[in-house]
Amino acid sequence: MTRPSKHSPSPGRTDSAWGEHICACLAETDFTVSAPGRTVQSASLFDGYSGVALVFAGSGDPIGREIAHRLIVRAVQARPRADGGLLLGLPSVGLAGFLAARAPGDYAKLLRSAGDATVRAAQRLLESEDERLAAGRAGVPMRHFDVCYGLAGLARLLLADPARRPTLEHTLRYLVRLTEPVTPADRAVPGWWTPEPAVLADPVAAPRGHLNPGLAHGIAGPLALLALSSLRGVEVAGQRAAAARIAEWLLNRRGEDDYGPFWPTVIPLECEERGSVHELSPSRVAWCYGAPGIARALQLAAHAYGEPAWEHAGLTTLGAALSRPWETTGIRDPSLCHGSAGVLHIVNLVARDAASPVSFRTSGLHDHLGTFADFGSRFGVRTTPPDRAGFLEGAAGVALALRGAGPVTEKLAWDAALMLS
């Protein structure tokens, strides 16, 4: 790990030198996590220490491991909440611990505590959902099944720990049941229909609830989990059929315009009942919503279940998203969540893993990301609000995206936090 150079590369370059500069800034700054005007969880993958620890947790050098350890200790000292999903609280610290561990017994106490907390959080959600399904009540809360707060994200951490397999399998069985149809009104719709409003900065009007195709809060997250579990040899009855129901629904809920196929942000119940999304607009282009995250979920499912058409359709839709006029993409910042760093990372990931060679138009992403290089700032990247260190929307996430994907054989990569691996 090196100190920030006085002769840093010129701003605007999205290369490894910029990423290393950000890492060096994060390493040398004894920061306290904060974000003006909002509550910050000190142990989280949003703005917390556990998210920044991911930058250093996989380091091959002693200095990097020491920095990761210091950040993990600070996250633990913040008394993280035991619930809140993968991105909040003790499960997020457990993810950092998994990545930082280099030998049997490393972080054993932390991993045991985080694993216990993850199991308890999952069991509470499973009990609530099992009761709802047994009573035949349609309408699932998004925070019960999504990646950020719900069972899909929690189960990704459980998948890394063979000792937690019973709770993982219970979660997989629940997700299989979630794909079965429900009837909130006159017509049957998929079981992941939620009566809640859409989780977006610019909410889509859906007074009767909606179905969410996205990776962060929608059904693409459970699809990716089902696939990742199968790829690692963990399957329950009905898992493949459930994945097929999700994948086929995603492919049948694409619109079409002059640039090609697209996914809407969400699908209001009335559109689902009509089976038509063509009156809806394309989603933003991001990890959280839209083609990048969904395409990656379909690719994982295609590889897990031997369905190359799913991968082809996903990558075609991703290519169409990248061909749209820049001002229509909704990309406004450099973040992993909904910015150019996240999209660029997914594009590189799906191109690397594609069954056949594929290329995408990425010059706009590189150019956009490069405009946020700021070597005079605290962390080397311009964020909103300024000097935001965190993983999901701050400097740490940008550094990880610039570094790229980890080895294919790695047991748990940093982007498992995003359900990308």
Side-chain angles (χ1 to χ4, degrees):
M1 187 61 58
T2 59
R3 293 178 178 274
S5 171
K6 294 180 180 179
H7 305 288
S8 299
S10 59
R13 292 179 55 191
T14 55
D15 56 12
S16 59
W18 179 28
E20 289 306 313
H21 177 82
I22 297 172
C23 292
C25 291
L26 289 168
E28 297 240 343
T29 304
D30 188 19
F31 61 88
T32 300
V33 292
S34 63
R38 59 195 296 258
T39 301
V40 171
Q41 296 286 339
S42 295
S44 79
L45 299 186
F46 288 96
D47 290 296
Y49 297 115
S50 46
V52 181
L54 299 186
V55 174
F56 306 99
S59 176
D61 70 272
I63 296 176
R65 291 196 294 273
E66 179 185 339
I67 295 166
H69 180 73
R70 172 166 54 85
L71 291 165
I72 290 171
V73 168
R74 295 190 73 174
V76 171
Q77 290 173 341
R79 299 181 180 275
R81 55 191 289 184
D83 58 0
L86 178 61
L87 299 191
L88 286 173
L90 195 50
S92 78
V93 189
L95 179 66
F98 266 114
L99 287 168
R102 284 291 174 272
D106 285 357
Y107 295 101
K109 183 177 180 180
L110 169 63
L111 296 180
R112 184 168 56 253
S113 297
D116 290 345
T118 303
V119 166
R120 288 193 298 270
Q123 287 176 338
R124 282 194 295 271
L125 292 173
L126 288 166
E127 288 171 5
S128 176
E129 280 297 283
D130 287 347
E131 178 184 352
R132 180 185 67 82
L133 291 169
R137 297 196 304 271
V140 57
M142 284 181 294
R143 283 177 175 250
H144 282 193
F145 76 90
D146 74 359
V147 168
C148 291
Y149 307 106
L151 284 160
L154 292 170
R156 182 62 190 91
L157 189 58
L158 297 174
L159 182 58
D161 186 352
R164 311 297 178 173
R165 185 158 175 171
T167 306
L168 170 62
E169 291 181 344
H170 188 175
T171 302
L172 295 174
R173 288 192 293 271
Y174 158 71
L175 292 176
V176 170
R177 295 176 67 193
L178 189 67
T179 68
E180 296 171 357
V182 297
T183 309
D186 297 330
R187 297 188 182 185
V189 299
W192 57 88
W193 168 76
T194 177
E196 298 175 338
V199 179
L200 281 173
D202 300 308
V204 174
R208 297 176 60 210
H210 70 281
L211 295 98
N212 190 324
L215 186 60
H217 302 292
I219 199 59
L223 175 62
L225 176 72
L226 295 173
L228 288 166
S229 299
S230 291
L231 288 168
R232 287 159 177 77
V234 183
E235 284 198 7
V236 298
Q239 187 164 323
R240 289 171 178 255
R245 284 193 287 271
I246 298 171
E248 294 298 333
W249 180 85
L250 286 170
L251 297 185
N252 289 326
R253 290 300 176 267
R254 291 181 297 169
E256 183 91 21
D257 64 10
D258 292 342
Y259 301 97
F262 66 83
W263 277 288
T265 303
V266 299
I267 299 171
L269 179 60
E270 53 270 23
C271 294
E272 176 63 26
E273 289 175 332
R274 291 196 298 268
S276 172
V277 299
H278 293 288
E279 66 269 40
L280 302 175
S281 300
S283 170
R284 65 170 58 171
V285 180
W287 163 74
C288 53
Y289 283 89
I294 300 171
R296 178 57 173 173
L298 284 167
Q299 182 183 56
L300 292 169
H303 293 186
Y305 305 116
E307 295 286 351
W310 296 352
E311 178 179 61
H312 177 74
L315 300 191
T316 298
T317 311
L318 176 56
L322 296 172
S323 72
R324 298 180 181 280
W326 183 263
E327 62 272 13
T328 69
T329 63
I331 300 174
R332 302 288 182 267
D333 63 50
S335 72
L336 282 180
C337 181
H338 45 261
S340 45
V343 178
L344 188 60
H345 179 68
I346 293 174
V347 168
N348 290 335
L349 200 60
V350 298
R352 183 198 72 182
D353 295 344
S356 301
V358 62
S359 61
F360 297 102
R361 295 173 55 180
T362 59
S363 58
L365 289 170
H366 282 282
D367 291 345
H368 179 267
L369 185 56
T371 63
F372 291 90
D374 184 354
F375 294 93
S377 66
R378 189 179 185 190
F379 300 121
V381 58
R382 180 163 49 86
T383 60
T384 304
D387 298 332
R388 197 167 185 178
F391 169 77
L392 202 61
E393 296 181 322
V398 174
L400 287 164
L402 289 170
R403 182 183 297 167
V408 178
T409 56
E410 191 172 330
K411 181 181 178 182
L412 187 68
W414 66 264
D415 54 12
L418 304 175
M419 202 64 78
L420 296 175
S421 69

